[in-house]
Amino acid sequence: MMNRKWVLDHYPQGAATEDVWRLEEAPIAELHPGQILVKTQWLSLDPYMRGRISPGANYAAGVAPGGVMQGGGVGEVIASAHPGWKVGDLAESMEMGWQTHAVLSPDLPGSQATNRVPEGVPPQAALSWLGMPGLTAYVGLTEIGRPLPGETVVVSAASGAVGQIVGQIAKLMGARVIAIAGSEEKLNYCRDLGFDVAISHRDPQMAEKLTEACPQGIDVFWDNTGGHIHDVALSQLATRARAIICGRIAVVDKPASEDIGLRASARLIVTRARIEGLIVFDWWHKRAEAFRHLQQWQAEGHIRYREDVLEGFERMPEAFLRMMSGANLGKQLVRV
């Protein structure tokens, strides 16, 4: 049996292109005690992956040229040398990688662990609202943003995998929620989810419309993008505001010298605002708590979501570029 895998061919200079990866085949490794062999069904595309194909330092080790591209996935156990796992079980793991078969060690700790897909939900939910994006939204709001009833929350990339869940949890917490997104289809989707106002970041009057929507300022800013949206929102923070810096997809392909953003220190002094970066892997211990709430909310109809699915393992690079360009609506997935 052979394993097909996408490996990193070279580091991109600027924006990634499809030739950054190459498709290879290799024999599947033998199982050691405590390991399982999983046949991949679903693979996740997430903005953090851009940092994993850069040669510079990041919060986690990246992929070296020739290595299997990193990423999370869901698959079926087809062989087991682990007493707690049997053939037919469904597994989710951040260690899956871009490959058709993965040898996993379920007992690794933290974010490296392999987990069972919860019963009663579609398998791919473990990569979306009941996976890393859902955990990100939950801990970012409950541990960092902590919106109070009546406060105003602004979410950039609001129709994406994380943003769509952030907005709905913020509404459950009693906040007014403002969506920022890039197309009328995405803005309408956010309105349908219950966002109070939806504003296009392509609108030349975005700053003015944001001021109109937030006359007392922004209490909680969830930043999935960086760039112009980041600058505008920081200039409109309310007193004691909280800004959660979750992503920087708008500027990740630009030279570091261009990613200087707003010189916000004076504004931060005036508002006594707090800005905190969010890496979801720091909060992996909150998974059980987060997933308990998310499953309950989803069952009660409070959490809805969309998925953007491409069919076929060969389309992994295409799906990555689609996600990076913002062409997707909702969680970007590939059905292998």
Side-chain angles (χ1 to χ4, degrees):
M1 187 182 299
M2 300 294 285
N3 180 33
R4 302 177 70 205
K5 55 186 180 179
W6 284 100
V7 303
L8 184 65
D9 183 83
H10 60 274
Y11 295 122
Q13 301 295 319
T17 52
E18 289 197 23
D19 64 353
V20 164
W21 301 273
R22 64 177 186 269
L23 188 57
E24 294 185 350
E25 285 191 357
I28 295 173
E30 293 185 9
L31 293 184
H32 296 295
Q35 293 184 323
I36 58 175
L37 175 61
V38 174
K39 183 177 181 181
T40 311
Q41 294 181 345
W42 293 88
L43 286 170
S44 174
L45 286 303
D46 300 282
Y48 79 85
M49 293 175 174
R50 180 59 181 84
R52 302 294 173 87
I53 57 172
S54 298
N58 206 297
Y59 60 83
V63 183
V68 177
M69 180 61 187
Q70 295 175 358
V74 164
E76 181 182 358
V77 177
I78 60 173
S80 176
H82 189 291
W85 289 79
K86 65 181 186 299
V87 172
D89 287 345
L90 289 180
E92 172 274 325
S93 177
M94 289 294 298
E95 303 296 305
M96 195 79 72
W98 290 14
Q99 50 190 349
T100 57
H101 298 79
V103 174
L104 302 174
S105 300
D107 296 333
L108 289 174
S111 61
Q112 295 178 304
T114 297
N115 304 286
R116 298 181 189 279
V117 174
E119 295 184 1
V121 300
Q124 69 271 27
L127 304 174
S128 178
W129 64 272
L130 200 58
M132 185 181 66
L135 175 60
T136 301
Y138 180 85
V139 298
L141 284 177
T142 61
E143 299 288 341
I144 301 174
R146 300 189 178 188
L148 298 174
E151 288 193 323
T152 297
V153 176
V154 172
V155 186
S156 65
S159 67
V162 172
Q164 62 181 338
I165 307 302
V166 169
Q168 294 175 86
I169 295 176
K171 290 297 294 182
L172 284 167
M173 298 174 80
R176 289 183 64 248
V177 187
I178 314 302
I180 300 178
S183 72
E184 195 59 32
E185 181 184 15
K186 293 180 178 181
L187 295 172
N188 284 334
Y189 172 56
C190 291
R191 295 182 185 107
D192 183 57
L193 289 179
F195 286 73
D196 296 279
V197 180
I199 300 170
S200 172
H201 67 76
R202 305 184 193 280
D203 189 330
Q205 301 299 311
M206 184 193 83
E208 291 80 359
K209 290 185 178 181
L210 190 59
T211 299
E212 181 181 350
C214 312
Q216 304 302 316
I218 300 167
D219 298 297
V220 178
F221 172 44
W222 188 292
D223 185 9
N224 282 316
T225 62
H228 176 60
I229 301 170
H230 169 96
D231 294 350
V232 170
L234 289 191
S235 72
Q236 298 190 27
L237 295 180
T239 301
R240 306 291 183 188
R242 290 81 69 200
I244 302 144
I245 310 302
C246 183
R248 51 192 298 275
I249 197 168
V251 295
V252 70
D253 290 325
K254 296 181 179 180
S257 59
E258 295 183 19
D259 182 22
I260 58 174
L262 178 69
R263 304 295 189 177
S265 57
R267 181 67 181 165
L268 298 181
I269 294 170
V270 171
T271 61
R272 285 86 79 197
R274 186 179 77 239
I275 298 179
E276 184 170 341
L278 171 58
I279 300 294
V280 69
F281 305 116
D282 295 339
W283 299 94
W284 222 248
H285 60 286
K286 288 282 187 176
R287 287 178 82 255
E289 173 190 325
F291 291 177
R292 184 172 65 254
H293 286 288
L294 288 164
Q295 278 192 280
Q296 178 180 340
W297 291 334
Q298 197 273 337
E300 294 171 348
H302 300 307
I303 295 291
R304 291 180 288 154
Y305 58 94
R306 287 183 67 169
E307 300 166 345
D308 196 309
V309 179
L310 294 188
E311 300 282 349
F313 182 66
E314 296 78 8
R315 302 181 75 181
M316 288 301 297
E318 177 189 350
F320 178 90
L321 301 184
R322 180 177 175 81
M323 178 266 303
M324 289 296 296
S325 69
N328 61 302
L329 200 169
K331 172 65 182 180
Q332 184 69 67
L333 296 165
V334 166
R335 181 163 24 211
V336 175

